[in-house]
């Protein structure tokens, strides 16, 4: 099997599944309880006076 064909087959099957799982993981991590305060602190960093 040619390298290009093997990589394309992988991307069409397991690669897509891995990217979807990563996306769902990032969304869950971002929206988890307790992350609002950390996001607020990170958003306020540019506004802090040194």
């Amino acid at each position: 099997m040619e390298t290009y064909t093997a990589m394309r087959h992988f991307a069409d099957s397991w690669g897509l599944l891995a990217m979807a799982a990563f996306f769902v993981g990032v969304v869950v991590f971002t929206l988890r309880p307790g992350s609002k305060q950390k996001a607020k602190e990170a958003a306020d960093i540019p506004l802090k006076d040194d």
Side-chain angles (χ1 to χ4, degrees):
M1 188 183 302
E2 196 174 303
T3 304
Y4 172 77
T5 306
M7 294 297 285
R8 184 172 176 195
H9 177 65
F10 175 76
D12 286 343
S13 58
W14 293 107
L16 180 61
L17 183 63
M19 287 187 286
F22 179 75
F23 177 77
V24 169
V26 168
V27 170
V28 168
F29 180 77
T30 303
L31 299 177
R32 75 187 189 283
S35 66
K36 186 175 183 177
Q37 182 60 32
K38 291 191 184 283
K40 175 85 170 120
E41 290 172 4
D44 288 341
I45 288 174
L47 304 175
K48 290 183 180 178
D49 290 333
D50 289 334

